[in-house]
Amino acid sequence: MSILIKIFLSFLKIGAFSFGGGYAMLPVIQREIVENHKWITAKQFIDIIGISQMTPGPIAINSATFVGFKVSGVFGSVAATLGVISFSFFLVSIANHFLLKFKESTVMKAALAGMRPAMIGLIISVFVSLGKESYKDIKSIVIGIIVLILLLTNKLHPISVIMISGILGIIFYSLIPI
């Protein structure tokens, strides 16, 4: 089977079995791409997530595009992007009619309420997994704590957070020998 078909099918599976948006998809992407296929390393996955957050657009689509490009160039990025959006596009096209019809249904409301805590669990799972890979030394922990304090005390734009983290990385990793 061609690598492009494998990429498309992998991301189709990710798109089909991931609910709750891009951050909820990250554990599925990680398992499929890093662990199952070993197309990229865990460190490359973390870098791709960082780049995906800095670029405009949904993180799941950006991640798919970057992973696809890393694995098989421009055609790989097209295959991954089409794969990750295909199921959602199909589902939304069909579901729109039924959601409008049953939006006041108690069963529908209960199902959606039940999915919300699962999405938070998925996001926490990614946080723990990425944290194990990212927080390797005291410098990375200090940067994480500084950024957390800034986020909890100020309403910073994500781009500002990324820029501050980059500046702290330059200071801590190239200017301060510890």
Side-chain angles (χ1 to χ4, degrees):
M1 181 182 318
S2 153
I3 187 69
L4 295 177
I5 294 171
K6 286 181 183 178
I7 292 170
F8 176 82
L9 292 176
S10 291
F11 279 97
L12 181 67
K13 181 167 85 173
I14 290 165
F17 295 107
S18 301
F19 297 96
Y23 290 105
M25 283 182 162
L26 291 178
V28 182
I29 295 173
Q30 181 180 18
R31 185 172 42 254
E32 183 71 14
I33 303 309
V34 176
E35 296 168 17
N36 293 350
H37 291 290
K38 299 185 184 344
W39 285 333
I40 61 171
T41 65
K43 179 164 180 358
Q44 289 172 321
F45 181 68
I46 290 170
D47 293 342
I48 286 171
I49 291 170
I51 292 168
S52 296
Q53 290 176 324
M54 291 187 327
T55 54
I59 191 168
I61 294 172
N62 291 347
S63 298
T65 304
F66 285 118
V67 169
F69 186 80
K70 179 80 176 155
V71 174
S72 194
V74 173
F75 292 114
S77 64
V78 170
T81 303
L82 289 175
V84 83
I85 66 170
S86 293
F87 187 80
S88 295
F89 179 78
F90 178 73
L91 185 64
V92 167
S93 297
I94 291 173
N96 183 49
H97 170 72
F98 294 105
L99 287 174
L100 291 174
K101 187 175 180 179
F102 296 108
K103 71 180 178 181
E104 297 303 320
S105 163
T106 56
V107 173
M108 178 68 78
K109 287 180 181 177
L112 293 173
M115 287 182 209
R116 287 184 200 116
M119 297 309 111
I120 298 300
L122 288 168
I123 292 168
I124 291 170
S125 163
V126 170
F127 171 76
V128 170
S129 176
L130 295 178
K132 288 178 186 176
E133 188 67 31
S134 297
Y135 296 111
K136 295 283 189 182
D137 57 16
I138 191 69
K139 294 176 185 180
S140 59
I141 293 169
V142 170
I143 291 171
I145 291 170
I146 291 170
V147 169
L148 177 63
I149 290 168
L150 287 172
L151 285 169
L152 293 175
T153 59
N154 301 295
K155 290 190 174 194
L156 295 177
H157 191 277
I159 301 275
S160 300
V161 173
I162 292 166
M163 289 174 60
I164 291 168
S165 299
I167 291 167
L168 290 172
I170 292 168
I171 293 169
F172 283 22
Y173 287 99
S174 64
L175 301 178
I176 300 175
I178 292 179

